[in-house]
Amino acid sequence: MKNLIIFCLSLMTLVSCNLSKEVDINLTVYGSQPVVGMLPYPGERYQLLLTKSNSFFDPLTIDKSGGLS
């Protein structure tokens, strides 16, 4: 029984040695869009947050007005 377990573990180790595979993913072009967030609180004025969306893989840049673009 002990030999069977050692054999199975050895076989699994040998079989699983080359389980990595390189995958190429074609990402679609993402255009920046305005995003509007509204925060209603009871008894207070509405708060509006206006931002721009960015692609996940694009670097963050700072525009001339001092905000993130």
Side-chain angles (χ1 to χ4, degrees):
M1 181 69 177
K2 184 177 178 182
N3 290 337
L4 180 63
I5 292 174
I6 293 173
F7 174 75
C8 288
L9 288 175
S10 300
L11 183 65
M12 287 173 31
T13 303
L14 290 174
V15 170
S16 65
C17 285
N18 193 12
L19 292 180
S20 63
K21 181 179 180 181
E22 191 171 324
V23 177
D24 292 327
I25 299 174
N26 296 326
L27 299 175
T28 59
V29 177
Y30 184 82
S32 181
Q33 299 176 349
V35 178
V36 177
M38 192 126 185
L39 306 169
Y41 292 110
E44 295 183 18
R45 293 173 34 172
Y46 293 117
Q47 296 180 9
L48 179 84
L49 177 65
L50 180 62
T51 58
K52 285 169 94 176
S53 63
N54 287 329
S55 173
F56 184 80
F57 296 105
D58 287 345
L60 289 176
T61 57
I62 298 176
D63 63 8
K64 293 180 182 175
S65 65
L68 292 175
S69 64

